[in-house]
Amino acid sequence: NCLITVIRMAIGGLFAYSGWRKLIRPPQEFAYVMEQYQIFPAIAIRIASITLPWIELISGVFLVLGFMRLLSARILTVLSFCFVILLSVTLIRGIGLESCGCFGKGIYLTLPQALTLDSFIVLILSFLSAYRSRFFELDQRIERSNGR
């Protein structure tokens, strides 16, 4: 249980950091990175450049806290899985990007590095979505205080 908690907090922290790094910069920077993938329409880029960092930050913090853990883990699993597909398609199409843009201007990963990391994250998040550990979770404390 303790190891699962540490893993849950580390993955949640990674997403919180990723969202935060994008939020402290102008959304145009993230939009520019998304344009480089050459797959999204302009309106989708505008919407995603504003909403995705918030989803990453909030879901990541919730996962760290163990608040709405299953929902948070599932949201992040879907995001990561979609990113794995995007990275795979981009690599197959031979589009050369300097960095995946995962962490804004914080950490630079090549596409193969990001694909490896995100594939691993999808596996971990899938496990966390299915695993029923209640160790050190805010959800458990809330349920106790509500008498469940």
Side-chain angles (χ1 to χ4, degrees):
N1 278 345
C2 190
L3 179 60
I4 298 301
T5 300
V6 169
I7 291 170
R8 184 193 84 225
M9 290 178 160
I11 296 293
L14 184 70
F15 276 96
Y17 175 77
S18 175
W20 175 75
R21 288 297 307 175
K22 292 175 194 130
L23 286 169
I24 62 172
R25 308 293 301 175
Q28 294 82 359
E29 285 185 15
F30 185 43
Y32 174 76
V33 170
M34 292 178 66
E35 288 171 2
Q36 302 307 301
Y37 285 93
Q38 302 173 18
I39 200 166
F40 300 111
I43 187 70
I45 290 172
R46 280 191 292 263
I47 293 168
S49 68
I50 294 168
T51 57
L52 279 178
W54 284 106
I55 293 169
E56 288 177 329
L57 177 67
I58 293 167
S59 296
V61 169
F62 280 11
L63 195 61
V64 168
L65 296 174
F67 179 67
M68 297 174 37
R69 177 186 56 89
L70 288 177
L71 177 62
S72 300
R74 289 175 182 155
I75 288 169
L76 295 175
T77 302
V78 170
L79 281 179
S80 296
F81 184 73
C82 290
F83 195 55
V84 165
I85 292 170
L86 173 64
L87 290 168
S88 299
V89 168
T90 303
L91 283 168
I92 290 168
R93 290 174 57 208
I95 297 172
L97 300 179
E98 289 179 27
S99 174
C100 65
C102 304
F103 299 100
K105 297 224 177 217
I107 299 171
Y108 293 93
L109 297 176
T110 65
L111 295 186
Q113 290 170 331
L115 181 59
T116 302
L117 176 65
D118 277 283
S119 297
F120 185 64
I121 287 173
V122 167
L123 292 174
I124 292 171
L125 285 168
S126 298
F127 175 76
L128 289 175
S129 295
Y131 192 73
R132 300 290 182 212
S133 171
R134 305 295 293 183
F135 184 70
F136 204 71
E137 287 189 2
L138 191 55
D139 285 343
Q140 181 184 29
R141 293 187 185 276
I142 291 169
E143 287 175 8
R144 277 192 210 155
S145 69
N146 290 336
R148 291 186 201 170

